[in-house]
Amino acid sequence: MALPLFIEQILNGLQSGVMLFLIASGLTLVLGIMNFVNLAHGSFYMIGAFAAVSFQLWTGSFFVAAMAACISAALAGLVVEFVCARRLYARSHLDQVLVTFGLIYVFNESMRMIFGPQPLASPIPPFLNGSLTLLPGLQYPLFRLTVIGVGLVVAAVMSYIVMRTRLGMLIRAGASDRGMIAVLGVNIRLLYSLLFALGAALAALAGLMAGPLYSVNVGMGENILIMTLVVIVVGGIGSLKGAFYAAIIIGLIDTLGRLFLPSAIATIAIYIFMAAVLFVRPRGLFASSAPPQVEARASDDRVTILWSLSKSRRSMTAWFVGLCMVALALVPTLSAWLDDPFLLRLFLRVVIFALMVLSLDLVAGFGGLVSFGHAAFVGTGAYAVAILGWHVDHGEPLLLGPIVLAGTHDALLAWPLAIASAAAMALLIGAVALRTSGLYFIMSTLAFAQMLFYLASTPNIYGGEDGLQISQRSTLPFVDLGDRPTLYYLALSLLALCLFLCWRLINSRFGMIVQACRQNERRVRALGVRTYLYKLLLFVISGMIAGIAGVLLANSELLVSPADLSWARSGSILIMAIFGGLGTLFGSVIGAVTYLMLEFTLSEWTHHWQIVFGPLLILFVLLARRGLFGLVLGRGSGS
């Protein structure tokens, strides 16, 4: 490779890194000082990009557009802090994740309503258009050099502010002991508001500089948010220095990887690097410089344990569950009587999603392991069935290193392989993610799921971004899965079986140990229990149940796509678990019914249904801590 081309790619990686730092630095401040997880931080990046392109086209001035972008995002940040964040500082990280996930719905749909669904092109300002000759044969765009310069200047200014000014002293003191500085008379609310606005403005600065380089479109903040979370996890949550160095490293790996590595590996290179870092240093490269206060907040106030109920309430719960299962069993009959096949398709989807939620409830509700990447196991099971079917349709063997498999549609072969694949994926992800805890665990599971998402999007042989069509449903002896009512009853039977097995599991010695780990893992370890192995086994069992859901989903939809692995799908599963109630098992069914019926009703009412769903989600998280099934059980259902 020619030296000028290599230097150009180094500069591109540096430019990508400084833009990641601009976003990560604001999120790091919010997380480090407030211990607040803001998944809507990428929305400020999007707001900055849209505001910049709008004001630049309106006024013709890039400087006016830059000011408008930063001010718009800062105001949005102040509104979010005042309306939502202040009510969540003392709540669990799970609540913060869900509320800010709801804000993503609101911001994305608002931008779609205002600017439309089509991407916008942001022009490069005339005074930055052109290139500079850095070396003989190397001309580099002036705008990209400006981006690098601005990013490095902002990094230097932030370092000076944090380390050399009174405001920085308050920031560092707040990171160490926020209660003490409040006692000393510091207006902690004002400090929090300023930090939130500053973080939003920094994200907007990155957004306005990204506009001329990439397209400005709705949802652009989500992809950059995932990379930002990777930066924060690698650098060490709460460490500004770690965010800078990790952003530069991630930017260089991503850019140079696309040049030197095969496309399938290049798209996931940063996630492989993250996994390696977490395996060696579970708290990131610069964990020692992170604030000591950045730690997980328990979500026990959201957990309802069934056997803590009185005898009468347990009896009422059993009757309620039984009646609900009978009602689900009557759905095919009702669908035929009403001559409404859509009703059966809808509730088949409900049953399948209830299995997904059950798998998450097992680890989050009883094990305290809040996974934001559970769609990875659903998608693995679905893709395994689809890939085996594709190979038998095309008459090609499936090569897995030294192992050669013939494709098949036989459920007795394909389904166990698919479930085993999901279990193996859960074992690999859990082996790394469970070396972490709290926020690191949430973010690492999210990043691993995105790694599989990009991997599924890359190979064109299996459909790539368009997904993979399945020619026929799996075959079972004496069972016609091509008949939708038969498939429905099979899915309902598997759901009932998994509910029963999970109930037996959590009542066993194993279940008691993992619940004890959720409440006080240090004490359990002091008793000589190898808690890591117990949690890993629970994670694998959860992955197997999610794999069963993926198998059924593939047979129901006859199409698998990267969307089945996406973080949006993981978020939906988590929302359903919260709707139903964590630690209830059957709440998975209630949550799936509520979410999918609400989604269907709102989408029928308006195309912009997410702008209604987002506030409803936020209100539900704030007001109904134990979920709908927890409300049915009553206030006596303590954890």
Side-chain angles (χ1 to χ4, degrees):
M1 174 186 291
L3 180 61
L5 178 59
F6 180 74
I7 295 177
E8 181 181 4
Q9 296 305 313
I10 292 290
L11 291 173
N12 286 339
L14 184 61
Q15 173 249 307
S16 176
V18 296
M19 289 185 64
L20 281 174
F21 170 73
L22 289 176
I23 307 171
S25 58
L27 188 57
T28 296
L29 286 176
V30 171
L31 187 53
I33 307 304
M34 305 178 188
N35 201 8
F36 183 83
V37 186
N38 181 21
L39 290 187
H41 195 73
S43 297
F44 301 138
Y45 169 84
M46 177 182 66
I47 290 172
F50 272 107
V53 67
S54 301
F55 276 91
Q56 188 174 1
L57 294 176
W58 180 35
T59 64
S61 172
F62 181 76
F63 292 107
V64 172
M67 292 293 295
C70 293
I71 292 173
S72 299
L75 290 176
L78 287 174
V79 171
V80 169
E81 196 275 336
F82 181 78
V83 175
C84 295
R86 286 188 181 182
R87 290 156 178 79
L88 294 167
Y89 289 141
R91 300 278 287 268
S92 69
H93 286 138
L94 177 58
D95 288 358
Q96 297 169 2
V97 165
L98 290 169
V99 167
T100 52
F101 194 79
L103 288 173
I104 292 175
Y105 282 131
V106 174
F107 283 127
N108 281 351
E109 207 58 46
S110 299
M111 294 297 105
R112 186 177 288 109
M113 292 173 67
I114 296 172
F115 297 101
Q118 299 300 322
L120 301 180
S122 180
I124 296 177
F127 64 92
L128 293 178
N129 207 355
S131 58
L132 290 179
T133 302
L134 302 180
L135 291 173
L138 173 59
Q139 289 189 326
Y140 198 73
L142 179 60
F143 183 79
R144 288 182 179 268
L145 284 174
T146 304
V147 171
I148 296 173
V150 169
L152 294 177
V153 168
V154 169
V157 170
M158 287 192 64
S159 177
Y160 177 80
I161 290 175
V162 171
M163 301 304 298
R164 302 286 183 177
T165 65
R166 174 176 172 77
L167 176 61
M169 179 186 67
L170 294 177
I171 290 174
R172 287 181 282 116
S176 299
D177 193 338
R178 72 187 66 165
M180 181 60 71
I181 66 168
V183 170
L184 293 175
V186 176
N187 190 336
I188 195 71
R189 283 194 170 186
L190 178 61
L191 179 63
Y192 280 10
S193 298
L194 290 175
L195 286 175
F196 225 98
L198 176 61
L202 289 171
L205 180 62
L208 76 90
M209 291 191 296
L213 300 176
Y214 319 106
S215 62
V216 179
N217 60 285
V218 175
M220 63 184 294
E222 297 171 18
N223 291 333
I224 198 70
L225 174 67
I226 303 299
M227 294 187 68
T228 303
L229 293 178
V230 172
V231 166
I232 291 175
V233 168
V234 169
I237 294 177
S239 170
L240 194 62
K241 179 174 71 172
F244 177 76
Y245 287 112
I248 300 300
I249 293 171
I250 294 297
L252 290 172
I253 290 175
D254 186 52
T255 302
L256 297 178
R258 297 178 189 279
L259 184 64
F260 293 108
L261 299 176
S263 59
I265 303 299
T267 55
I268 62 174
I270 60 173
Y271 303 104
I272 296 174
F273 175 71
M274 182 199 73
V277 169
L278 289 180
F279 189 79
V280 177
R281 295 182 64 88
R283 300 187 66 83
L285 295 174
F286 294 89
S288 59
S289 63
Q293 172 165 302
V294 178
E295 57 188 16
R297 291 199 184 119
S299 55
D300 284 354
D301 60 340
R302 284 204 166 272
V303 179
T304 302
I305 305 299
L306 296 181
W307 50 87
S308 65
L309 303 175
S310 64
K311 185 176 180 180
S312 61
R313 286 192 179 275
R314 286 200 300 268
S315 177
M316 181 191 72
T317 301
W319 276 102
F320 178 79
V321 171
L323 289 174
C324 288
M325 295 302 290
V326 169
L328 288 174
L330 293 175
V331 166
T333 303
L334 181 62
S335 175
W337 182 57
L338 296 175
D339 193 22
D340 184 6
F342 175 76
L343 181 66
L344 182 58
R345 288 199 299 270
L346 176 61
F347 273 86
L348 175 58
R349 189 172 177 84
V350 165
V351 171
I352 294 171
F353 271 79
L355 270 169
M356 301 180 197
V357 181
L358 176 63
S359 70
L360 179 61
D361 190 23
L362 190 63
V363 292
F366 296 96
L369 305 172
V370 181
S371 168
F372 210 98
H374 234 59
F377 315 128
V378 177
T380 299
Y383 261 98
V385 170
I387 290 172
L388 288 170
W390 185 92
H391 278 275
V392 72
D393 291 339
H394 290 77
E396 298 180 12
L398 176 59
L399 304 178
L400 299 174
I403 303 174
V404 180
L405 296 176
T408 181
H409 286 296
D410 187 352
L412 296 179
L413 294 176
W415 290 19
L417 285 173
I419 296 169
S421 299
M425 189 59 64
L427 180 64
L428 291 174
I429 293 177
V432 177
L434 286 171
R435 290 175 58 83
T436 68
S437 61
L439 288 175
Y440 286 94
F441 182 82
I442 295 174
M443 294 182 180
S444 60
T445 54
L446 171 60
F448 280 125
Q450 281 301 108
M451 178 178 72
L452 294 180
F453 169 81
Y454 287 119
L455 192 62
S457 303
T458 302
N460 293 325
I461 187 173
Y462 296 132
E465 294 181 353
D466 296 328
L468 181 59
Q469 284 281 44
I470 302 175
S471 61
Q472 66 175 71
R473 291 192 173 96
S474 300
T475 58
L476 267 175
F478 312 111
V479 179
D480 181 15
L481 294 182
D483 179 54
R484 194 173 291 273
T486 303
L487 179 61
Y488 175 84
Y489 281 121
L490 176 62
L492 185 60
S493 300
L494 289 172
L495 173 61
L497 177 62
C498 288
L499 281 168
F500 174 74
L501 293 177
C502 287
W503 179 76
R504 291 300 302 267
L505 180 69
I506 60 179
N507 279 281
S508 67
R509 179 179 182 273
F510 173 86
M512 295 301 175
I513 288 176
V514 296
Q515 290 176 74
C517 291
R518 174 180 60 83
Q519 294 172 352
N520 195 327
E521 184 176 355
R522 183 177 298 177
R523 183 174 295 179
V524 177
R525 282 201 303 265
L527 295 174
V529 177
R530 301 178 68 180
T531 58
Y532 175 83
L533 295 180
Y534 277 86
K535 293 192 296 182
L536 182 59
L537 181 56
L538 182 72
F539 201 71
V540 171
I541 294 172
S542 172
M544 291 176 66
I545 298 174
I548 295 173
V551 166
L552 293 172
L553 183 66
N555 279 273
S556 172
E557 304 292 335
L558 293 179
L559 172 71
V560 295
S561 71
D564 296 324
L565 297 149
S566 67
W567 81 302
R569 175 61 56 82
S570 296
S572 299
I573 298 171
L574 187 56
I575 291 170
M576 293 180 207
I578 296 303
F579 276 178
L582 286 176
T584 61
L585 294 183
F586 192 76
S588 58
V589 180
I590 304 298
V593 171
T594 304
Y595 180 93
L596 293 175
M597 293 299 293
L598 191 60
E599 180 185 59
F600 170 72
T601 303
L602 292 178
S603 61
E604 287 289 304
W605 176 49
T606 174
H607 179 66
H608 302 288
W609 65 273
Q610 291 184 352
I611 204 168
V612 181
F613 183 80
L616 288 177
L617 172 60
I618 294 170
L619 288 174
F620 189 90
V621 172
L622 293 176
L623 301 178
R625 294 197 178 194
R626 297 192 183 277
L628 294 175
F629 196 51
L631 295 177
V632 171
L633 298 178
R635 297 181 63 85
S637 53
S639 61

